[in-house]
Amino acid sequence: MILTTTFLCFCVASAINYFRTRRQRSLIKNLGGPFSWPLMGAMHKLLFLKPQNFFQRSHEYLAKYGAVTRLWVFHRLFMPLADLELAKQVLQSEQHLETGYELMRHWLGGGVLMCDKNQWTQRHGLIGSIFNKGNMLPLTELCRQQAVLLQLTLADHAEQRDVFDAWTIVAPAVRDLMVLTTCGVRPSEGYSEAFTCLTEIYRKRFLSLQSVNRFTFWVSSPLLRRRQAQLIKQLNDEHKEHIDRFRRLQKQEEQLKAGNVVVDRIDPLPAQWHQSLLEILLAGNHNPEISDDDICAELNTCNYLGYLLCSSALCFSLVTISRHPAVQQRCLEELRKAQREDQSWDVRRLPYLEAVLLETLRLYPPQVIVGRHLTEDMPYTHSEVGDGTLPFGAEIYVNLFEMQRNEDRYLNASHFRAERFLESPPEIYSFSMGPRCCPAKQFSMVLLKTLIAPILSNFELLPYGDAPRLDLRLSLGSSNGFQLALKPR
Protein backbone atom coordinates (compact mmCIF):
# COMPACT_ATOMS: atom_id res chain seq x y z
CA MET A 1 0.00 0.00 0.00
CA ILE A 2 2.77 2.43 0.94
CA LEU A 3 4.73 1.61 -2.23
CA THR A 4 1.63 2.02 -4.37
CA THR A 5 0.81 5.37 -2.80
CA THR A 6 4.40 6.55 -3.21
CA PHE A 7 4.42 5.50 -6.85
CA LEU A 8 1.12 7.25 -7.55
CA CYS A 9 2.35 10.45 -5.86
CA PHE A 10 5.53 10.29 -7.91
CA CYS A 11 3.53 9.88 -11.12
CA VAL A 12 1.23 12.79 -10.27
CA ALA A 13 4.19 15.03 -9.35
CA SER A 14 5.98 14.05 -12.57
CA ALA A 15 2.89 14.85 -14.64
CA ILE A 16 2.43 18.22 -12.96
CA ASN A 17 6.09 19.04 -13.47
CA TYR A 18 5.91 18.03 -17.14
CA PHE A 19 2.87 20.18 -17.92
CA ARG A 20 4.35 23.05 -15.92
CA THR A 21 7.52 23.03 -18.07
CA ARG A 22 5.92 21.94 -21.35
CA ARG A 23 6.27 25.32 -23.02
CA GLN A 24 9.93 25.67 -22.03
CA ARG A 25 10.67 22.19 -23.35
CA SER A 26 9.07 22.98 -26.70
CA LEU A 27 11.34 26.02 -27.16
CA ILE A 28 14.63 24.17 -26.57
CA LYS A 29 14.07 21.03 -28.64
CA ASN A 30 17.04 21.99 -30.80
CA LEU A 31 19.46 21.92 -27.85
CA GLY A 32 21.27 18.82 -26.65
CA GLY A 33 21.81 17.75 -23.08
CA PRO A 34 21.80 14.79 -20.68
CA PHE A 35 18.87 12.41 -20.32
CA SER A 36 16.16 13.74 -18.00
CA TRP A 37 14.39 11.34 -15.66
CA PRO A 38 10.75 11.98 -14.76
CA LEU A 39 10.45 14.71 -12.12
CA MET A 40 14.16 14.66 -11.08
CA GLY A 41 15.51 15.55 -14.51
CA ALA A 42 19.29 15.24 -14.80
CA MET A 43 19.88 15.50 -11.06
CA HIS A 44 22.45 12.71 -11.36
CA LYS A 45 24.79 15.11 -13.16
CA LEU A 46 25.00 17.35 -10.09
CA LEU A 47 25.04 14.78 -7.29
CA PHE A 48 28.79 14.29 -7.23
CA LEU A 49 29.81 17.73 -8.48
CA LYS A 50 32.32 19.23 -6.06
CA PRO A 51 34.64 22.25 -6.08
CA GLN A 52 37.63 19.97 -6.61
CA ASN A 53 36.23 18.13 -9.66
CA PHE A 54 34.22 20.96 -11.21
CA PHE A 55 36.65 21.68 -14.04
CA GLN A 56 37.18 18.04 -15.00
CA ARG A 57 33.47 17.26 -15.02
CA SER A 58 32.61 20.52 -16.76
CA HIS A 59 35.11 19.78 -19.53
CA GLU A 60 33.76 16.24 -19.93
CA TYR A 61 30.16 17.53 -19.99
CA LEU A 62 30.91 20.10 -22.72
CA ALA A 63 32.88 17.57 -24.76
CA LYS A 64 29.95 15.15 -24.64
CA TYR A 65 26.94 17.44 -25.07
CA GLY A 66 28.39 20.54 -26.75
CA ALA A 67 28.90 24.20 -25.85
CA VAL A 68 25.16 25.07 -25.93
CA THR A 69 23.11 22.68 -23.81
CA ARG A 70 20.16 22.33 -21.48
CA LEU A 71 19.96 20.51 -18.15
CA TRP A 72 16.76 19.95 -16.18
CA VAL A 73 16.72 19.58 -12.40
CA PHE A 74 13.11 19.18 -11.22
CA HIS A 75 11.31 22.23 -12.68
CA ARG A 76 14.46 24.33 -13.11
CA LEU A 77 16.10 24.73 -16.49
CA PHE A 78 19.87 25.19 -16.34
CA MET A 79 21.77 26.16 -19.49
CA PRO A 80 25.56 25.74 -19.25
CA LEU A 81 27.19 27.80 -22.04
CA ALA A 82 30.73 27.82 -23.34
CA ASP A 83 29.83 29.23 -26.75
CA LEU A 84 30.96 32.79 -27.50
CA GLU A 85 28.36 33.43 -30.18
CA LEU A 86 25.39 32.86 -27.88
CA ALA A 87 27.17 34.12 -24.75
CA LYS A 88 27.65 37.54 -26.36
CA GLN A 89 23.94 37.79 -27.16
CA VAL A 90 23.03 36.90 -23.58
CA LEU A 91 25.57 39.08 -21.77
CA GLN A 92 25.31 42.08 -24.09
CA SER A 93 21.52 42.20 -23.88
CA GLU A 94 20.07 45.39 -22.39
CA GLN A 95 16.84 43.63 -21.38
CA HIS A 96 18.11 40.50 -19.64
CA LEU A 97 20.17 41.78 -16.72
CA GLU A 98 19.02 39.63 -13.77
CA THR A 99 21.98 37.62 -12.47
CA GLY A 100 20.04 35.15 -10.34
CA TYR A 101 22.72 34.62 -7.67
CA GLU A 102 20.22 33.44 -5.05
CA LEU A 103 22.97 32.03 -2.82
CA MET A 104 24.20 35.53 -1.96
CA ARG A 105 20.84 37.26 -1.55
CA HIS A 106 20.89 37.55 2.27
CA TRP A 107 24.27 39.29 2.18
CA LEU A 108 24.42 41.13 -1.15
CA GLY A 109 20.72 41.55 -1.98
CA GLY A 110 20.06 45.12 -3.12
CA GLY A 111 23.65 45.65 -4.27
CA VAL A 112 24.85 46.20 -7.81
CA LEU A 113 25.36 42.47 -8.42
CA MET A 114 21.74 41.57 -7.67
CA CYS A 115 19.72 44.77 -7.92
CA ASP A 116 16.68 45.08 -10.16
CA LYS A 117 17.44 45.82 -13.80
CA ASN A 118 15.65 49.17 -13.46
CA GLN A 119 18.21 50.22 -10.84
CA TRP A 120 21.23 48.83 -12.65
CA THR A 121 22.12 51.93 -14.72
CA GLN A 122 22.12 54.20 -11.67
CA ARG A 123 24.14 51.83 -9.48
CA HIS A 124 26.65 51.02 -12.20
CA GLY A 125 27.15 54.74 -12.82
CA LEU A 126 27.64 55.51 -9.13
CA ILE A 127 30.27 52.81 -8.68
CA GLY A 128 31.96 53.78 -11.92
CA SER A 129 32.21 57.41 -10.78
CA ILE A 130 34.63 56.49 -8.00
CA PHE A 131 37.15 55.61 -10.70
CA ASN A 132 36.99 58.95 -12.48
CA LYS A 133 40.19 60.61 -13.66
CA GLY A 134 40.46 62.91 -10.65
CA ASN A 135 40.13 60.08 -8.12
CA MET A 136 42.37 57.50 -9.81
CA LEU A 137 45.60 59.18 -8.70
CA PRO A 138 44.66 59.12 -4.96
CA LEU A 139 43.41 55.55 -5.34
CA THR A 140 46.69 54.55 -6.97
CA GLU A 141 48.56 56.12 -4.06
CA LEU A 142 46.34 54.17 -1.67
CA CYS A 143 47.29 50.96 -3.51
CA ARG A 144 50.97 51.93 -3.32
CA GLN A 145 50.77 52.38 0.46
CA GLN A 146 49.11 48.99 0.83
CA ALA A 147 51.80 47.48 -1.42
CA VAL A 148 54.47 48.72 1.01
CA LEU A 149 52.71 46.96 3.90
CA LEU A 150 52.34 43.80 1.83
CA GLN A 151 56.05 43.90 0.96
CA LEU A 152 57.01 44.16 4.63
CA THR A 153 54.85 41.15 5.49
CA LEU A 154 56.41 39.08 2.71
CA ALA A 155 59.95 40.03 3.83
CA ASP A 156 59.75 37.59 6.77
CA HIS A 157 59.07 34.67 4.42
CA ALA A 158 61.84 35.83 2.07
CA GLU A 159 64.42 35.70 4.84
CA GLN A 160 63.46 32.14 5.77
CA ARG A 161 62.92 31.05 2.13
CA ASP A 162 60.16 28.75 3.29
CA VAL A 163 57.28 27.56 1.15
CA PHE A 164 54.07 29.36 2.07
CA ASP A 165 50.54 29.88 0.81
CA ALA A 166 50.40 33.29 -0.89
CA TRP A 167 46.64 33.55 -0.22
CA THR A 168 47.18 33.88 3.55
CA ILE A 169 49.28 37.02 2.97
CA VAL A 170 47.68 38.52 -0.13
CA ALA A 171 43.99 38.15 0.74
CA PRO A 172 44.05 40.20 4.01
CA ALA A 173 45.98 42.98 2.25
CA VAL A 174 43.44 43.10 -0.59
CA ARG A 175 40.54 42.99 1.88
CA ASP A 176 41.85 46.01 3.79
CA LEU A 177 42.44 47.86 0.52
CA MET A 178 38.88 47.21 -0.63
CA VAL A 179 37.39 48.51 2.62
CA LEU A 180 39.59 51.61 2.47
CA THR A 181 38.40 52.22 -1.08
CA THR A 182 34.70 51.76 -0.35
CA CYS A 183 34.32 53.01 3.24
CA GLY A 184 37.26 55.41 3.46
CA VAL A 185 38.52 53.84 6.71
CA ARG A 186 40.68 50.86 7.57
CA PRO A 187 38.54 47.93 8.81
CA SER A 188 38.50 47.16 12.50
CA GLU A 189 39.79 43.83 13.73
CA GLY A 190 36.26 42.62 14.41
CA TYR A 191 35.08 43.68 10.96
CA SER A 192 38.00 41.94 9.25
CA GLU A 193 37.39 38.72 11.15
CA ALA A 194 33.64 38.78 10.49
CA PHE A 195 34.14 39.52 6.79
CA THR A 196 36.63 36.69 6.34
CA CYS A 197 34.47 34.20 8.27
CA LEU A 198 31.35 35.13 6.32
CA THR A 199 33.14 34.77 3.00
CA GLU A 200 34.36 31.32 4.00
CA ILE A 201 30.82 30.27 4.95
CA TYR A 202 29.54 31.19 1.50
CA ARG A 203 32.51 29.53 -0.18
CA LYS A 204 31.72 26.29 1.67
CA ARG A 205 28.04 26.52 0.74
CA PHE A 206 28.82 26.86 -2.97
CA LEU A 207 28.21 23.58 -4.86
CA SER A 208 26.92 21.99 -1.65
CA LEU A 209 23.59 20.29 -2.30
CA GLN A 210 22.54 20.44 1.34
CA SER A 211 23.06 24.17 1.77
CA VAL A 212 23.10 25.92 -1.60
CA ASN A 213 19.28 26.13 -1.70
CA ARG A 214 17.70 28.46 0.86
CA PHE A 215 15.15 25.88 2.04
CA THR A 216 17.63 23.01 2.41
CA PHE A 217 20.06 25.36 4.13
CA TRP A 218 17.33 26.44 6.54
CA VAL A 219 16.48 22.81 7.34
CA SER A 220 19.91 21.17 7.39
CA SER A 221 22.19 23.86 8.85
CA PRO A 222 20.37 25.88 11.55
CA LEU A 223 23.55 26.72 13.52
CA LEU A 224 25.50 27.77 10.43
CA ARG A 225 22.50 29.80 9.25
CA ARG A 226 22.37 31.59 12.59
CA ARG A 227 26.11 32.27 12.48
CA GLN A 228 25.78 33.63 8.94
CA ALA A 229 23.01 36.02 9.99
CA GLN A 230 25.05 37.25 12.97
CA LEU A 231 28.08 38.01 10.77
CA ILE A 232 25.97 39.87 8.20
CA LYS A 233 24.44 41.95 11.00
CA GLN A 234 27.88 42.71 12.45
CA LEU A 235 29.16 44.00 9.10
CA ASN A 236 26.05 46.07 8.43
CA ASP A 237 26.06 47.55 11.95
CA GLU A 238 29.59 48.84 11.37
CA HIS A 239 28.60 50.19 7.96
CA LYS A 240 25.68 52.04 9.53
CA GLU A 241 28.00 53.52 12.16
CA HIS A 242 30.12 54.95 9.34
CA ILE A 243 26.97 56.24 7.60
CA ASP A 244 25.64 57.97 10.75
CA ARG A 245 29.05 59.45 11.56
CA PHE A 246 29.49 60.77 8.06
CA ARG A 247 26.02 62.34 8.05
CA ARG A 248 26.64 64.04 11.40
CA LEU A 249 29.87 65.49 10.09
CA GLN A 250 28.09 66.71 6.96
CA LYS A 251 25.44 68.39 9.11
CA GLN A 252 28.11 69.94 11.32
CA GLU A 253 29.90 71.39 8.29
CA GLU A 254 26.64 72.83 6.96
CA GLN A 255 25.96 74.49 10.35
CA LEU A 256 29.46 75.95 10.45
CA LYS A 257 29.04 77.39 6.96
CA ALA A 258 25.69 78.89 7.97
CA GLY A 259 27.24 80.40 11.14
CA ASN A 260 25.08 78.40 13.54
CA VAL A 261 26.34 77.22 16.91
CA VAL A 262 27.23 73.52 17.08
CA VAL A 263 26.79 71.83 20.43
CA ASP A 264 27.70 68.22 19.66
CA ARG A 265 31.34 67.25 19.37
CA ILE A 266 32.02 64.55 16.80
CA ASP A 267 35.34 62.84 16.36
CA PRO A 268 36.53 63.48 12.80
CA LEU A 269 36.90 60.69 10.30
CA PRO A 270 40.47 59.55 9.56
CA ALA A 271 42.26 61.70 7.00
CA GLN A 272 41.98 60.43 3.44
CA TRP A 273 42.97 61.69 0.01
CA HIS A 274 40.56 59.75 -2.15
CA GLN A 275 36.80 59.94 -2.52
CA SER A 276 35.29 56.76 -1.12
CA LEU A 277 32.27 54.91 -2.47
CA LEU A 278 30.44 55.72 0.76
CA GLU A 279 30.81 59.45 0.10
CA ILE A 280 29.39 59.05 -3.39
CA LEU A 281 26.42 57.02 -2.18
CA LEU A 282 25.69 59.60 0.56
CA ALA A 283 25.91 62.59 -1.76
CA GLY A 284 22.13 63.00 -1.48
CA ASN A 285 21.42 63.93 -5.10
CA HIS A 286 20.37 60.50 -6.34
CA ASN A 287 17.04 59.78 -7.96
CA PRO A 288 15.63 57.50 -6.71
CA GLU A 289 17.18 57.95 -3.29
CA ILE A 290 19.29 55.06 -1.99
CA SER A 291 18.30 53.61 1.38
CA ASP A 292 20.78 52.78 4.14
CA ASP A 293 20.17 49.07 3.56
CA ASP A 294 21.01 49.48 -0.13
CA ILE A 295 24.16 51.42 0.80
CA CYS A 296 25.21 48.55 3.05
CA ALA A 297 24.48 46.11 0.23
CA GLU A 298 26.65 48.11 -2.19
CA LEU A 299 29.52 48.25 0.29
CA ASN A 300 29.20 44.51 0.95
CA THR A 301 29.06 43.73 -2.78
CA CYS A 302 32.12 45.78 -3.72
CA ASN A 303 34.14 44.54 -0.75
CA TYR A 304 33.22 40.92 -1.44
CA LEU A 305 33.88 41.03 -5.20
CA GLY A 306 37.08 43.01 -4.85
CA TYR A 307 38.38 40.78 -2.07
CA LEU A 308 37.74 37.43 -3.73
CA LEU A 309 38.44 38.28 -7.36
CA CYS A 310 41.50 40.51 -6.93
CA SER A 311 43.03 38.14 -4.36
CA SER A 312 42.56 35.21 -6.73
CA ALA A 313 44.04 37.14 -9.67
CA LEU A 314 47.07 38.29 -7.69
CA CYS A 315 47.79 34.84 -6.24
CA PHE A 316 47.56 33.12 -9.62
CA SER A 317 49.80 35.82 -11.11
CA LEU A 318 52.49 35.29 -8.45
CA VAL A 319 52.47 31.51 -8.81
CA THR A 320 52.44 31.68 -12.62
CA ILE A 321 55.35 34.14 -12.77
CA SER A 322 57.34 32.03 -10.31
CA ARG A 323 57.07 29.08 -12.70
CA HIS A 324 58.21 31.06 -15.76
CA PRO A 325 61.74 32.42 -15.06
CA ALA A 326 62.05 34.19 -18.44
CA VAL A 327 58.78 36.01 -17.82
CA GLN A 328 59.93 37.04 -14.36
CA GLN A 329 63.23 38.37 -15.70
CA ARG A 330 61.55 40.41 -18.43
CA CYS A 331 59.11 41.89 -15.90
CA LEU A 332 62.04 42.84 -13.64
CA GLU A 333 63.86 44.59 -16.49
CA GLU A 334 60.73 46.53 -17.40
CA LEU A 335 60.17 47.56 -13.77
CA ARG A 336 63.72 48.85 -13.43
CA LYS A 337 63.30 51.02 -16.53
CA ALA A 338 59.96 52.41 -15.35
CA GLN A 339 60.98 53.12 -11.73
CA ARG A 340 60.82 56.72 -10.56
CA GLU A 341 63.18 58.52 -8.21
CA ASP A 342 60.79 57.99 -5.30
CA GLN A 343 60.98 54.21 -5.93
CA SER A 344 57.41 54.04 -7.27
CA TRP A 345 56.36 53.09 -10.79
CA ASP A 346 54.34 54.69 -13.55
CA VAL A 347 51.94 51.79 -14.10
CA ARG A 348 51.15 53.10 -17.60
CA ARG A 349 54.73 52.27 -18.62
CA LEU A 350 54.46 48.56 -17.79
CA PRO A 351 52.99 47.00 -20.97
CA TYR A 352 54.65 43.62 -20.52
CA LEU A 353 53.56 43.27 -16.89
CA GLU A 354 50.03 44.15 -17.99
CA ALA A 355 50.24 41.49 -20.72
CA VAL A 356 51.36 38.96 -18.09
CA LEU A 357 48.38 39.85 -15.89
CA LEU A 358 45.94 39.66 -18.81
CA GLU A 359 47.29 36.27 -19.87
CA THR A 360 46.93 35.06 -16.28
CA LEU A 361 43.34 36.33 -16.22
CA ARG A 362 42.68 34.54 -19.51
CA LEU A 363 43.92 31.20 -18.21
CA TYR A 364 42.64 31.66 -14.65
CA PRO A 365 39.58 33.96 -14.69
CA PRO A 366 38.70 34.66 -11.03
CA GLN A 367 35.00 34.72 -11.86
CA VAL A 368 34.61 31.41 -13.67
CA ILE A 369 30.83 31.56 -14.16
CA VAL A 370 28.68 34.54 -15.18
CA GLY A 371 24.97 33.99 -14.64
CA ARG A 372 21.73 35.35 -16.09
CA HIS A 373 18.19 34.48 -15.04
CA LEU A 374 15.69 35.17 -17.82
CA THR A 375 12.49 36.87 -16.70
CA GLU A 376 11.12 36.85 -20.26
CA ASP A 377 11.75 34.97 -23.49
CA MET A 378 14.94 35.82 -25.36
CA PRO A 379 15.14 35.28 -29.14
CA TYR A 380 18.60 34.36 -30.45
CA THR A 381 20.42 33.44 -33.64
CA HIS A 382 23.14 30.81 -33.90
CA SER A 383 25.23 29.44 -36.76
CA GLU A 384 25.17 25.83 -35.49
CA VAL A 385 22.04 25.12 -33.44
CA GLY A 386 19.93 27.50 -35.53
CA ASP A 387 17.67 30.36 -34.53
CA GLY A 388 15.41 29.98 -31.55
CA THR A 389 14.14 31.35 -28.26
CA LEU A 390 15.53 30.87 -24.78
CA PRO A 391 12.47 30.49 -22.55
CA PHE A 392 11.38 32.53 -19.56
CA GLY A 393 12.79 31.05 -16.35
CA ALA A 394 15.98 29.66 -17.88
CA GLU A 395 19.09 29.96 -15.69
CA ILE A 396 22.06 30.58 -17.96
CA TYR A 397 25.62 30.02 -16.75
CA VAL A 398 28.40 31.20 -19.06
CA ASN A 399 31.65 29.30 -18.47
CA LEU A 400 34.42 31.88 -18.99
CA PHE A 401 37.11 29.36 -18.07
CA GLU A 402 36.29 27.09 -21.01
CA MET A 403 35.61 29.96 -23.41
CA GLN A 404 39.04 31.48 -22.82
CA ARG A 405 40.80 28.17 -23.41
CA ASN A 406 39.15 27.55 -26.77
CA GLU A 407 41.78 26.40 -29.28
CA ASP A 408 39.78 27.88 -32.15
CA ARG A 409 40.15 31.39 -30.72
CA TYR A 410 43.52 31.27 -28.99
CA LEU A 411 46.67 29.73 -30.46
CA ASN A 412 48.07 27.22 -27.96
CA ALA A 413 45.21 28.19 -25.70
CA SER A 414 46.31 26.08 -22.72
CA HIS A 415 49.84 27.51 -22.69
CA PHE A 416 50.94 30.68 -20.93
CA ARG A 417 52.11 33.17 -23.54
CA ALA A 418 51.93 36.82 -22.48
CA GLU A 419 53.24 38.04 -25.85
CA ARG A 420 49.85 37.38 -27.44
CA PHE A 421 48.57 40.56 -25.71
CA LEU A 422 51.45 42.61 -27.16
CA GLU A 423 51.19 41.38 -30.75
CA SER A 424 47.49 41.38 -31.63
CA PRO A 425 45.58 41.41 -28.33
CA PRO A 426 42.71 38.91 -28.30
CA GLU A 427 39.41 39.49 -26.56
CA ILE A 428 39.35 38.65 -22.89
CA TYR A 429 36.12 38.06 -20.98
CA SER A 430 37.36 37.83 -17.39
CA PHE A 431 35.66 41.17 -16.61
CA SER A 432 32.49 39.91 -18.32
CA MET A 433 30.96 41.89 -21.18
CA GLY A 434 27.95 44.01 -21.99
CA PRO A 435 26.08 46.40 -19.66
CA ARG A 436 26.83 44.33 -16.55
CA CYS A 437 30.57 44.19 -17.15
CA CYS A 438 32.87 45.07 -14.25
CA PRO A 439 32.84 48.86 -13.63
CA ALA A 440 36.21 48.57 -11.86
CA LYS A 441 38.18 47.01 -14.73
CA GLN A 442 40.66 49.88 -15.03
CA PHE A 443 41.14 50.15 -11.27
CA SER A 444 41.59 46.39 -10.95
CA MET A 445 44.49 46.43 -13.41
CA VAL A 446 46.06 49.41 -11.61
CA LEU A 447 45.64 47.62 -8.28
CA LEU A 448 47.24 44.40 -9.54
CA LYS A 449 50.19 46.18 -11.14
CA THR A 450 50.75 48.42 -8.13
CA LEU A 451 50.70 45.50 -5.67
CA ILE A 452 52.84 43.13 -7.73
CA ALA A 453 55.51 45.62 -8.88
CA PRO A 454 57.36 45.96 -5.52
CA ILE A 455 57.14 42.20 -4.94
CA LEU A 456 58.89 41.44 -8.23
CA SER A 457 61.44 44.21 -7.68
CA ASN A 458 62.43 43.15 -4.17
CA PHE A 459 62.02 39.39 -4.25
CA GLU A 460 62.77 36.56 -6.62
CA LEU A 461 59.73 34.30 -6.88
CA LEU A 462 60.79 30.67 -6.51
CA PRO A 463 58.67 27.80 -7.95
CA TYR A 464 58.76 25.75 -4.76
CA GLY A 465 55.87 23.68 -3.48
CA ASP A 466 53.11 21.96 -5.45
CA ALA A 467 51.39 23.48 -8.45
CA PRO A 468 47.85 24.79 -7.84
CA ARG A 469 45.01 22.28 -7.96
CA LEU A 470 42.12 24.23 -9.38
CA ASP A 471 38.85 24.32 -7.52
CA LEU A 472 35.78 26.53 -7.60
CA ARG A 473 34.42 28.10 -4.42
CA LEU A 474 32.56 31.19 -5.66
CA SER A 475 35.81 32.31 -7.32
CA LEU A 476 38.61 30.35 -8.93
CA GLY A 477 40.94 28.98 -6.29
CA SER A 478 43.34 26.20 -5.43
CA SER A 479 42.52 23.34 -3.08
CA ASN A 480 46.17 23.12 -1.96
CA GLY A 481 46.77 26.86 -1.76
CA PHE A 482 49.13 29.01 -3.81
CA GLN A 483 52.52 27.63 -2.91
CA LEU A 484 55.77 29.45 -3.63
CA ALA A 485 58.87 30.79 -1.89
CA LEU A 486 60.70 34.14 -2.00
CA LYS A 487 64.36 35.12 -2.13
CA PRO A 488 65.51 38.71 -1.43
CA ARG A 489 67.12 40.40 -4.45
Side-chain angles (χ1 to χ4, degrees), residues 2 16 114 122 156 171 178 194 217 222 257:
I2 296 177
I16 293 173
M114 304 180 64
Q122 180 201 31
D156 295 336
M178 287 300 107
F217 182 56
K257 289 179 181 178

Side-chain angles (χ1 to χ4, degrees), residues 146-177:
Q146 195 65 21
V148 172
L149 298 177
L150 177 59
Q151 178 187 334
L152 293 174
T153 306
L154 291 171
D156 295 336
H157 291 282
E159 291 178 1
Q160 301 173 12
R161 297 191 190 181
D162 59 337
V163 177
F164 67 99
D165 180 3
W167 180 272
T168 61
I169 308 297
V170 167
V174 174
R175 177 199 62 211
D176 292 353
L177 181 55

Side-chain angles (χ1 to χ4, degrees), residues 204-323:
K204 289 178 181 177
R205 287 184 59 190
F206 186 71
L207 291 184
S208 169
L209 289 178
Q210 72 179 95
S211 63
V212 69
N213 178 275
R214 276 196 280 180
F215 175 75
T216 56
F217 182 56
W218 185 83
V219 172
S220 64
S221 308
L223 296 180
L224 187 62
R225 175 169 51 86
R226 181 180 178 184
R227 175 64 173 158
Q228 175 183 291
Q230 289 173 341
L231 293 171
I232 293 173
K233 183 178 184 302
Q234 182 177 346
L235 295 181
N236 287 337
D237 286 346
E238 190 155 335
H239 288 155
K240 288 177 180 178
E241 287 179 11
H242 294 321
I243 292 171
D244 293 340
R245 191 176 179 189
F246 192 88
R247 281 180 174 150
R248 291 199 303 270
L249 284 170
Q250 281 184 320
K251 184 177 180 180
Q252 188 182 61
E253 289 176 1
E254 291 172 0
Q255 290 175 332
L256 287 171
K257 289 179 181 178
N260 297 330
V261 178
V262 180
V263 177
D264 295 334
R265 178 179 176 81
I266 304 172
D267 294 332
L269 291 168
Q272 64 182 68
W273 297 271
H274 69 284
Q275 186 180 30
S276 67
L277 177 61
L278 181 58
E279 289 181 74
I280 293 174
L281 296 175
L282 289 173
N285 55 354
H286 309 309
N287 185 24
E289 187 174 343
I290 302 176
S291 68
D292 287 358
D293 288 339
D294 284 346
I295 291 175
C296 290
E298 292 296 359
L299 297 176
N300 285 326
T301 299
C302 293
N303 289 337
Y304 154 76
L305 290 176
Y307 166 70
L308 270 190
L309 304 185
C310 289
S311 296
S312 173
L314 188 53
C315 287
F316 273 109
S317 297
L318 291 172
V319 172
T320 301
I321 293 173
S322 74
R323 281 158 171 75

Side-chain angles (χ1 to χ4, degrees), residues 76 78 90-91 95-105 108-117 120 301 305 367 369-375 393-398 432-433 435-437:
R76 296 175 65 179
F78 296 97
V90 172
L91 298 181
Q95 288 77 37
H96 306 283
L97 298 175
E98 286 78 4
T99 56
Y101 298 132
E102 284 299 315
L103 174 67
M104 312 298 297
R105 186 163 296 281
L108 309 182
V112 69
L113 183 67
M114 304 180 64
C115 66
D116 186 85
K117 65 179 181 180
W120 164 252
T301 299
L305 290 176
Q367 185 171 0
I369 304 294
V370 177
R372 290 291 184 273
H373 185 198
L374 300 186
T375 56
E395 300 176 45
I396 303 172
Y397 296 98
V398 180
S432 191
M433 63 182 92
R436 270 197 182 270
C437 68

